[in-house]
Amino acid sequence: MSPSKDEGGGVSPQNKGSWSSFLKSIASFNGDLSSMTAPPFILGTLSLTEFSAYWTQHPAVFVAPAAEKDPAKRALLVLKWFLSTLKPSYSTRNDKYGSEKKPLNPFLGELFLGKWEDEAGTTELVSEQVSHHPPVTAYCIQNAKHGIKLEGYNGQKASFSRTIHIKQIGHALLTLTPPTSSTSNAQSLDPAPSAEKETYLITLPNIHIEGLIYGKPFVELNGCTYISSSSGYVARIDYSGKGWVSGKKNSFTAVLYPAGKEKDILYTVEGQWPESFTIRQGSGKHGTVVDQFNARTQPITPLTVPALEQQDPWEANKAWEKVINAITKGDMDSTNAEKSKIENAQRELRRKEQSENREWERKFFVRRDKSEEWWDKLAQGCAGERIESEKTGGVWRFDEAKAREASRPFHEGLNPC
């Protein structure tokens, strides 16, 4: 759907007063900002369950590591793929609408299903809202042809201190079956259940929102994240933004090194994640250039989702159809009314579950109370990373058996709104 005029240029003149009032309410709010009700005029037309698709807008880049025999180069290709996901994940809405928009908060059980089809074959996506309090989205993306799978989950905790800060809680796991490997000098951590499998633990960046005072918010990443592999390599990505005196917006520096040998840098990557980056051998800016990536010009494979009339009521586009239409038309009264219908219906479902002493049935994912045995080994390469299951309602993993059984209608006799 095309955005409305109001959606396309930040906060419109007629909403400036409401925007100022909203900022004042944020500044004085104590607690998690995600629990606040945002004014309809800053709502986007995407649900958070749809954000899982940003991991794989470039399927050929996603599957490339599975074909690389050398483990160090394979780890580099995983890093390249991860960096290629940053622009779609954190800049797409700003490019499309002129400013960052608040996504629709998914309801428990909401689904978003689709697939990419191109020269990489078929890559399938499953995204499910597995928890509402706290809000958590789980996802699985896999390409059977290349034997590669990404799964993960994340929640968000937002607070205000001069600007909005969002801590992402959760992680992603990339698993692949590499071809016959060449000899590696790195020490293998080998946490995977099968010796043939290779696993990469991916931590998630923290976010803060810039441009609030001008009514044109945009995302900036801060701190650092890690990619730790069972083959014995670690990538560290450091994020920075434009300061008062120097620096460039949305900048980063990444290094790849053998686990436990931070000074033995094999590759360095530098650039701006919404624009382009350059990969060099060794450390510093003077190493030999081995690859480059331009996020602006890299072709995007469109995600294919079922037509609305074919979707189940629990699928995001179908469930939010009337809300999305109202936002697109700039009809804020209808936006509020339609959102309220979904929210009230969900409250009624929770009350019924509580009275019957039962829990909501997830269709594709299962909760685990703690991490797998290999977690501690991979997390050694990720400074400060730990499982915070109490903040995400558990550790969420894709369940192949449940997925095989799942089909439309997903919750027969139940409607989310």
Side-chain angles (χ1 to χ4, degrees):
M1 295 181 180
S2 59
S4 68
K5 291 181 180 179
D6 281 353
E7 195 177 3
V11 178
S12 61
Q14 63 266 34
N15 287 321
K16 289 291 186 183
S18 298
W19 176 251
S20 297
S21 298
F22 179 59
L23 292 183
K24 290 176 182 177
S25 66
I26 289 175
S28 60
F29 185 79
N30 291 320
D32 185 358
L33 292 180
S34 62
S35 63
M36 287 188 69
T37 299
F41 65 85
I42 68 167
L43 287 177
T45 54
L46 292 178
S47 167
L48 273 173
T49 57
E50 298 177 67
F51 282 32
S52 303
Y54 292 139
W55 284 106
T56 325
Q57 287 198 348
H58 311 296
V61 182
F62 172 64
V63 304
E68 174 56 58
K69 292 183 179 180
D70 182 87
K73 292 179 180 178
R74 193 161 56 244
L76 178 63
L77 287 173
V78 171
L79 173 59
K80 176 185 175 182
W81 156 75
F82 172 76
L83 295 173
S84 78
T85 71
L86 296 179
K87 174 180 167 26
S89 295
Y90 303 108
S91 182
T92 295
R93 279 90 53 202
N94 196 279
D95 290 346
K96 183 177 181 180
Y97 303 132
S99 68
E100 187 64 32
K101 294 291 183 179
K102 185 184 185 301
L104 299 168
N105 289 330
F107 51 83
L108 181 60
E110 181 177 315
L111 298 167
F112 185 66
L113 312 175
K115 60 184 178 181
W116 297 268
E117 293 183 302
D118 59 9
E119 69 273 13
T122 299
T123 306
E124 296 181 298
L125 163 70
V126 172
S127 182
E128 181 175 11
Q129 191 71 6
V130 292
S131 176
H132 187 65
H133 293 296
V136 179
T137 305
Y139 50 86
C140 180
I141 300 169
Q142 52 189 333
N143 184 302
K145 176 182 176 181
H146 294 274
I148 190 167
K149 178 175 77 171
L150 175 77
E151 64 175 301
Y153 65 95
N154 69 286
Q156 297 181 337
K157 185 175 179 61
S159 60
F160 186 87
S161 177
R162 296 187 179 181
T163 188
I164 296 174
H165 298 269
I166 302 171
K167 179 183 180 182
Q168 297 200 89
I169 305 169
H171 58 266
L173 296 170
L174 182 73
T175 305
L176 57 84
T177 304
T180 304
S181 301
S182 61
T183 302
S184 169
N185 292 323
Q187 182 180 0
S188 175
L189 299 177
D190 193 25
S194 168
E196 296 180 355
K197 296 286 185 180
E198 193 168 272
T199 304
Y200 295 77
L201 170 63
I202 302 167
T203 66
L204 308 175
N206 289 327
I207 299 168
H208 64 271
I209 307 297
E210 297 285 0
L212 288 175
I213 195 170
Y214 304 108
K216 290 191 176 183
F218 67 89
V219 167
E220 187 66 271
L221 305 180
N222 58 271
C224 68
T225 60
Y226 293 87
I227 304 174
S228 179
S229 74
S230 60
S231 59
Y233 295 94
V234 175
R236 187 186 74 241
I237 306 101
D238 292 283
Y239 307 94
S240 60
K242 183 173 177 60
W244 289 103
V245 178
S246 62
K248 292 183 178 180
K249 176 182 173 182
N250 303 142
S251 297
F252 74 90
T253 300
V255 291
L256 180 71
Y257 50 85
K261 299 179 180 180
E262 291 85 350
K263 294 184 179 180
D264 296 344
I265 296 174
L266 303 176
Y267 297 97
T268 301
V269 191
E270 291 183 311
Q272 291 173 275
W273 48 264
E275 303 292 339
S276 63
F277 56 82
T278 299
I279 303 174
R280 290 184 170 86
Q281 201 160 20
S283 61
K285 299 182 178 181
H286 304 294
T288 302
V289 174
V290 296
D291 200 0
Q292 292 179 311
F293 184 88
N294 191 316
R296 293 286 181 189
T297 60
Q298 181 76 15
I300 292 174
T301 299
L303 177 71
T304 301
V305 298
L308 279 176
E309 58 270 18
Q310 296 175 337
Q311 289 188 26
D312 187 85
W314 292 87
E315 292 181 68
N317 293 163
K318 184 71 171 179
W320 291 105
E321 181 181 10
K322 292 181 180 179
V323 175
I324 292 169
N325 286 340
I327 293 173
T328 302
K329 294 174 182 176
D331 185 345
M332 297 301 102
D333 290 338
S334 293
T335 299
N336 261 335
E338 295 300 336
K339 273 181 83 271
S340 295
K341 289 179 183 178
I342 294 176
E343 292 162 356
N344 291 334
Q346 288 297 304
R347 292 188 188 101
E348 181 58 34
L349 283 173
R350 302 292 83 77
R351 281 192 289 266
K352 185 176 181 181
E353 289 163 9
Q354 188 173 18
S355 68
E356 297 174 355
N357 194 28
R358 60 182 176 85
E359 186 178 8
W360 177 255
E361 179 190 3
R362 284 80 180 177
K363 285 297 177 180
F364 293 91
F365 296 86
V366 63
R367 177 198 285 115
R368 294 181 180 170
D369 294 329
K370 59 182 180 179
S371 61
E372 294 83 347
E373 293 181 2
W374 50 261
W375 167 269
D376 290 338
K377 295 180 181 180
L378 285 185
Q380 288 174 7
C382 309
E385 185 66 15
R386 64 186 183 89
I387 290 284
E388 297 181 279
S389 58
E390 73 282 0
K391 296 181 180 179
T392 55
V395 177
W396 299 95
R397 295 287 183 253
F398 184 69
D399 190 307
E400 297 281 358
K402 293 180 77 170
R404 285 193 294 270
E405 295 295 323
S407 62
R408 298 178 180 90
F410 292 109
H411 299 282
E412 192 165 11
L414 287 180
N415 195 305
C417 54

